[in-house]
Amino acid sequence: GNVFQVTPSGSLTSLHFFNGTDGAYPSSVLVQAADGSFYGTAENGGPTGWGTVFKITSAGVLTTVHAFNSQDGGSPVPGLVQDTDGSFYGTTYYGGTTNSGTVFRIAADGTFTNLYSFTGGGDGSNPYGGLLLASDGNFYGTTLYGGTYADGTVFRIDRNGTLTTL
């Protein structure tokens, strides 16, 4: 995959082509941070193949901010949401303690915190749709599987990693 820029007049410029070691399959939207850089996720690739969080400048300079290792998550498909303090929050489809996905926080400097590992049971498994930062200060998301009928859940999680299945 690649990261590209399109001008209002329709001119397309490729900024970076992923080579696998820096990520693969960047399928989510980018988030522009206060520093002007863009942050995103690559579903696969990186040193262990479990995906990456990356930062890219408008000049096309890409930096891997975090490479997942399955214990802290894997396949960060939905992308990131930025909190008011500048940290980014996201989910991974796989990985964590039961390989059912995770919720994580990552600072712009790469400081990574695994906030929650889904169990695959009543709390759900395999979050796929990303997180929403709501006006109550909590994040909301969905899982594809798990829950009472194994058809997924809606959840709320706070900044400390306390998850409530709604």
Side-chain angles (χ1 to χ4, degrees):
N2 73 336
V3 178
F4 58 88
Q5 175 184 31
V6 179
T7 65
S9 65
S11 176
L12 177 85
T13 303
S14 289
L15 298 176
H16 182 80
F17 287 94
F18 288 87
N19 61 25
T21 61
D22 57 3
Y25 305 112
S27 56
S28 65
V29 298
L30 299 176
V31 176
Q32 187 171 20
D35 68 0
S37 296
F38 298 89
Y39 289 77
T41 58
E43 180 178 348
N44 297 112
T48 63
W50 286 94
T52 63
V53 174
F54 62 87
K55 168 183 165 179
I56 188 165
T57 67
S58 58
V61 177
L62 186 127
T63 305
T64 300
V65 180
H66 182 76
F68 291 93
N69 63 24
S70 85
Q71 293 302 308
D72 62 2
S75 294
V77 177
L80 305 168
V81 62
Q82 190 171 26
D83 196 1
T84 54
D85 70 356
S87 295
F88 298 94
Y89 289 76
T91 61
T92 65
Y93 188 75
Y94 295 116
T97 56
T98 65
N99 202 32
S100 297
T102 66
V103 179
F104 65 89
R105 175 179 55 234
I106 190 163
D109 68 1
T111 303
F112 182 89
T113 305
N114 187 354
L115 294 174
Y116 191 82
S117 287
F118 288 92
T119 66
D123 62 348
S125 71
N126 308 103
Y128 196 76
L131 295 173
L132 169 76
L133 175 57
S135 59
D136 66 1
N138 292 303
F139 297 90
Y140 291 81
T142 58
T143 65
L144 194 57
Y145 303 111
T148 304
Y149 301 103
D151 291 326
T153 63
V154 175
F155 65 88
R156 175 181 63 227
I157 189 165
D158 66 20
R159 289 172 175 88
N160 297 317
T162 302
L163 185 131
T164 303
T165 302
L166 302 173

